[in-house]
Amino acid sequence: MNLKNLEVWFVTGSQHLYGEETLKQVAVHSQEIAETLNASSKIPVSVVFKPVLTTPDAITSLCVEANTAANCIGIITWMHTFSPSKMWINGLKILNKPVAHLHTQYNRDIPWSEMDMDFMNLNQSAHGDREHGFIFTRLRKNRKVVVGYWKDEQVQERLGIWSRACAGWYDWQSAKFARFGDNMREVAVTEGDKVEAQLRFGFSVNYFPMGDLVAKIDAVTEVEVDKLYAEYNEKYLIDAAGKPGAEYYENVRTQARIELGMRAFLEEGGFKGFTTTFEDLYGLKQLPGLAVQRLMEDGYGFGAEGDWKHAALVRAMKVMSIGLPGGTSFMEDYTYHLDPSGMKALGAHMLEVCPTIGDGKTKIEVHPLGIGGKDAPARMVFNVPAGPAIAASIIDMGNRFRMIVNDVDVEVPEHDLPKLPVARALWTPQPNLQVGAGAWILAGGAHHTSFSKAITAECIEDFCEIADIEFVNINKDTCLTEFKKELRWNEMFYLLNKALK
């Protein structure tokens, strides 16, 4: 996906009270701001200037147009002058695109010695945006509010974060996710209401029997497998045991065959992600490992053990992070290092960790899995480099979905892990493991996560505002006592929220 093909519209409000000359200036200033934002390296999508809105009919027409414009993923609103907010009611009631309210003004500084009433009549954002803010609040309509001077990088960066969240939301609309096999038996957190998810999020999840996938895998030719193996050999370091003539050569080729079959299935069906489970491998020689890693590397969402919610979340976060360094992957908190001098978590999975989060030293290895009763699968093995990251989890609370995000600090392992044949990341949850893991468990967070070194909690918070779902953030300031209160307050809010709307 090229994010520059997506648009956010820059919409300015005013009224005819100020006269045509003032409105001409408003339009010139607005166009300049839109063009500056569009040229900003901080904003990955296209910012498109729209004519200044001065009447209820014009506002409503703009909102109708935005709703039906295929490439419009959101609108940025700004009130250069005072724009009576009753004019906005009908338009905002029907608007179904995300909104960012930019609270800025054309001039950065007050022109102390030259300011007169003409200047004051033109530059009224300080109270025009407050009127505009009221109607959003009165309509109980979610939006992002960004305050500051439009040329400042921090302002542009926050608008860029919001636009990435809009892109993730846009990608979810009418997306399809394939579930190869069902849920891992007796597991609760990876289940959920798929009908409610489609109503709330726009994507659909459907089951496909393994026989449908196996038919695609069996149709792959030896020539295609040879070509893909050659690509593996060129792009990654294949362990000696996986080379031609060696013990595990055919095991690597089996993963190539699975990848080609899966890719054909997903492409033909227009799917953006998928799930597998090691409890349903009928017709497969191996649990998909390297194949899944490769598909995630290309942008597909993935969830293990039937976890469709995290397959969708991985996909959304991959879209949000397009063009950013760091990568995004399916992940799982696997084991702990409980040394009192520095408690840490080791994240990994049986096989399926995306190399976009890796350190670039990617090796293809083959080892017995010890679970699933199939042949030893090939997989990529690597470490995740140090730096800030987030681990995000989406769960079904019955009456709502909850998004939980933990800010974490990835560290380089103190020792080598020569016998651990999987990709892995070592991190310290903020504020520390005791509080971070405690808060995660209190919030009901899944053992699966979508892990990203590319985007921040702010981007996920913006995404949750757009989706109108609960968001909780575990970070350096988290206190368990206050966090428990937040969860209880949220419980009451979501019981009352539908009545308020």
Side-chain angles (χ1 to χ4, degrees):
M1 181 183 293
N2 182 355
L3 294 184
K4 269 296 178 182
N5 290 334
L6 305 179
E7 300 175 353
V8 294
W9 292 358
F10 190 83
V11 178
T12 306
S14 187
Q15 60 177 321
H16 286 288
L17 174 68
Y18 304 107
E20 291 306 310
E21 288 305 313
T22 297
L23 289 177
K24 287 180 182 177
Q25 287 182 278
V26 168
V28 169
H29 291 172
S30 299
Q31 189 160 8
E32 182 182 346
I33 294 173
E35 290 173 353
T36 299
L37 296 179
N38 184 54
S40 172
S41 62
K42 303 292 183 181
I43 301 176
V45 303
S46 295
V47 180
V48 177
F49 168 76
K50 290 293 177 178
V52 177
L53 303 176
T54 57
T55 67
D57 288 345
I59 292 166
T60 301
S61 295
L62 183 282
C63 292
V64 170
E65 184 185 358
N67 284 348
T68 57
N71 289 343
C72 176
I73 64 171
I75 66 172
I76 301 172
T77 62
W78 172 53
M79 303 302 109
H80 195 318
T81 63
F82 198 81
S83 179
S85 64
K86 282 180 65 178
M87 296 197 303
W88 289 80
I89 291 175
N90 288 339
L92 294 181
K93 279 173 60 179
I94 64 172
L95 182 66
N96 62 20
K97 295 294 175 77
V99 178
H101 183 178
L102 176 59
H103 185 40
T104 190
Q105 60 186 28
Y106 178 72
N107 57 296
R108 191 192 72 173
D109 303 323
I110 293 176
W112 304 101
S113 62
E114 298 176 3
M115 185 163 54
D116 56 17
M117 281 311 301
D118 287 339
F119 179 90
M120 294 285 277
N121 285 333
L122 175 62
N123 297 282
Q124 298 187 52
S125 301
H127 67 288
D129 275 325
R130 292 168 195 260
E131 168 76 355
H132 190 57
F134 163 75
I135 205 60
F136 273 97
T137 299
R138 178 62 182 82
L139 292 172
R140 293 178 172 85
K141 202 168 183 69
N142 293 354
R143 75 282 195 194
K144 184 182 182 77
V145 177
V146 178
V147 180
Y149 187 50
W150 51 280
K151 288 185 178 179
D152 287 348
E153 281 196 0
Q154 185 182 31
V155 168
Q156 295 174 8
E157 183 176 11
R158 295 197 65 213
L159 288 172
I161 289 170
W162 168 80
S163 72
R164 289 182 177 279
C166 292
W169 179 250
Y170 169 85
D171 186 71
W172 262 11
Q173 307 313 300
S174 301
K176 297 191 297 181
F177 294 88
R179 212 175 185 204
F180 298 123
D182 199 3
N183 195 54
M184 183 178 172
R185 288 188 282 277
E186 303 294 351
V187 176
V189 77
T190 51
E191 284 286 16
D193 188 337
K194 295 188 284 292
V195 173
E196 181 63 24
Q198 188 166 351
L199 288 169
R200 173 66 64 182
F201 302 131
F203 63 75
S204 64
V205 181
N206 285 290
Y207 162 83
F208 293 90
M210 291 305 298
D212 289 357
L213 175 59
V214 169
K216 291 292 183 187
I217 293 171
D218 289 346
V220 174
T221 68
E222 293 299 314
V223 172
E224 291 173 310
V225 173
D226 289 341
K227 183 178 179 181
L228 187 54
Y229 181 91
E231 183 180 331
Y232 292 167
N233 196 44
E234 181 179 346
K235 189 172 182 180
Y236 316 105
L237 176 63
I238 300 179
D239 186 67
K243 295 286 189 177
E247 178 183 8
Y248 288 132
Y249 174 57
E250 287 301 327
N251 297 60
V252 179
R253 285 174 55 83
T254 294
Q255 285 292 321
R257 189 180 301 279
I258 293 172
E259 178 189 334
L260 290 164
M262 277 188 162
R263 193 179 293 274
F265 188 101
L266 297 170
E267 288 178 355
E268 288 176 19
F271 296 102
K272 294 182 176 180
F274 62 101
T275 71
T276 62
T277 172
F278 61 80
E279 288 189 314
D280 190 352
L281 297 174
Y282 183 79
L284 294 183
K285 292 183 178 180
Q286 300 174 14
L287 173 67
L290 174 60
V292 171
Q293 292 176 295
R294 287 267 302 171
L295 288 163
M296 267 198 289
E297 187 178 19
D298 283 347
Y300 284 98
F302 172 76
E305 292 121 34
D307 191 347
W308 54 270
K309 295 189 295 298
H310 286 91
L313 183 56
V314 168
R315 167 65 188 191
M317 289 171 64
K318 280 187 172 290
V319 171
M320 294 181 215
S321 64
I322 288 173
L324 296 176
T328 295
S329 176
F330 175 76
M331 185 61 75
E332 179 174 273
D333 290 72
Y334 226 100
T335 193
Y336 289 139
H337 181 65
L338 295 179
D339 184 341
S341 66
M343 297 186 182
K344 308 178 195 306
L346 183 72
H349 204 257
M350 291 186 298
L351 302 173
E352 310 96 336
V353 178
C354 181
T356 60
I357 64 170
D359 58 4
K361 302 172 184 177
T362 304
K363 189 176 183 181
I364 294 177
E365 300 180 12
V366 179
H367 301 273
L369 188 59
I371 197 168
K374 295 290 182 176
D375 291 346
R379 81 292 304 267
M380 298 187 215
V381 178
F382 52 84
N383 288 312
V384 176
I390 60 170
S393 176
I394 185 169
I395 61 172
D396 187 341
M397 291 290 292
N399 65 335
R400 66 191 186 278
F401 289 94
R402 170 183 284 168
M403 185 82 76
I404 307 150
V405 176
N406 192 183
D407 294 331
V408 305
D409 298 302
V410 181
E411 304 171 23
V412 176
E414 297 176 13
H415 305 283
D416 291 336
L417 296 161
K419 294 185 178 181
L420 183 64
V422 293
R424 58 270 180 154
L426 182 70
W427 68 76
T428 300
Q430 292 186 12
N432 52 56
L433 190 138
Q434 297 98 313
V435 175
W440 189 275
I441 289 170
L442 285 167
H447 57 287
H448 292 163
T449 63
S450 179
F451 177 90
S452 183
K453 295 185 91 275
I455 60 174
T456 63
E458 182 180 358
C459 193
I460 304 299
E461 182 177 7
D462 289 349
F463 184 81
C464 292
E465 285 289 328
I466 295 167
D468 196 22
I469 64 171
E470 182 183 4
F471 169 84
V472 292
N473 186 199
I474 304 166
N475 57 30
K476 62 182 177 61
D477 298 319
T478 297
C479 163
L480 281 180
T481 300
E482 296 304 314
F483 190 76
K484 285 189 282 188
K485 292 177 185 177
E486 179 182 352
L487 295 178
R488 289 167 182 156
W489 294 335
N490 287 0
E491 202 72 67
M492 291 302 298
F493 170 79
Y494 283 97
L495 284 173
L496 298 171
N497 188 40
K498 289 184 178 179
L500 289 172
K501 292 189 175 183

